[in-house]
Amino acid sequence: MNENKLITMANQIGSFFDSMPDRGEAITGIVNHIRASWEPRMREGLKHQIETCGDSELLPIVKEALPRILAD
């Protein structure tokens, strides 16, 4: 699995939800979407990529959602 692609995918999801007026609702939307749509190995790949390379490529809203995304 291309872990760089996971960053791109997470940012695409974040971009969609970032337009919502309620920030908390947007973050919950990101978390719910990734938990429902991504396999556990995809979430682990995202975690590994962030641990290895940092989170500088993630959108701010995805960074905010990240602790909830990775808490399983």
Side-chain angles (χ1 to χ4, degrees), residues 1 34-35 37-46 72:
M1 170 174 306
I34 290 177
R35 283 187 177 166
S37 302
W38 287 24
E39 297 177 5
R41 68 185 177 100
M42 294 171 73
R43 292 190 300 273
E44 283 299 314
L46 178 64
D72 282 334

Side-chain angles (χ1 to χ4, degrees), residues 12-63:
Q12 288 171 334
I13 295 164
S15 290
F16 174 81
F17 285 100
D18 199 26
S19 65
M20 295 178 73
D22 184 312
R23 187 79 166 179
E25 193 175 318
I27 290 170
T28 298
I30 294 167
V31 172
N32 290 343
H33 180 82
I34 290 177
R35 283 187 177 166
S37 302
W38 287 24
E39 297 177 5
R41 68 185 177 100
M42 294 171 73
R43 292 190 300 273
E44 283 299 314
L46 178 64
K47 179 180 178 181
H48 180 262
Q49 179 69 10
I50 291 165
E51 289 173 346
T52 304
C53 301
D55 65 0
S56 64
E57 293 185 33
L58 288 174
L59 294 174
I61 194 165
V62 179
K63 288 180 188 180

